[in-house]
Amino acid sequence: MTRRTLVLGGARSGKSAHAEGLLTADAATYVATARRYPDDPDWGLRIAQHVARRPPAWRTVEAPAPNDLISLLGAAVEGDPPILVDDLATWLVGVMEDVDAWEGRGVGEVERECAALVEAVAAVRARLVLVSAEVGLGVVPSTRSGRLFRDHLGTLNARLAEVCDEVLLVVAGIPLKLRE
């Protein structure tokens, strides 16, 4: 059985809904990596839509700090309910915010956090589905912070793909198998 699946896709591609559909067990742990911003009602609405679509038997864990996700994965054992992490782009935004990396500071810390995540994913024994935004299919970001984010996320996705058993790319709601 596939133990670790990475689901990639662009914004609004259907990647999260597809990832949720991969879990057929009644119980699951949904790890929400997005931080809540009280002054952004649109973001709050998006989070609420994700919450409303989850089965009621799923447990939601909000993991806004990078170490929360790494610790959760490190504690997972074989036989635990499946884990769905949605999504790694918002997790990386949190990492970059925490070390003030948007202007190029803290790059080493960002790389260490990403390496720790890859190591935790490689070691996890429970069924795991990861969701991440695919980058690099569009225009080059016009800002330094945009390029830094794209570069870090692209590298993280590639490293995670190396340790996942299955990698999917969702385009226009259609999943394409890159590795199975």
Side-chain angles (χ1 to χ4, degrees), residues 61 83 99 132 150 156 158 176:
V61 175
I83 300 167
V99 299
S132 188
R150 179 212 48 204
L156 177 61
L176 306 167

Side-chain angles (χ1 to χ4, degrees), residues 17 46 79 103 162 177:
R46 288 173 182 262
E103 295 303 320
E162 290 175 5
K177 289 190 178 202

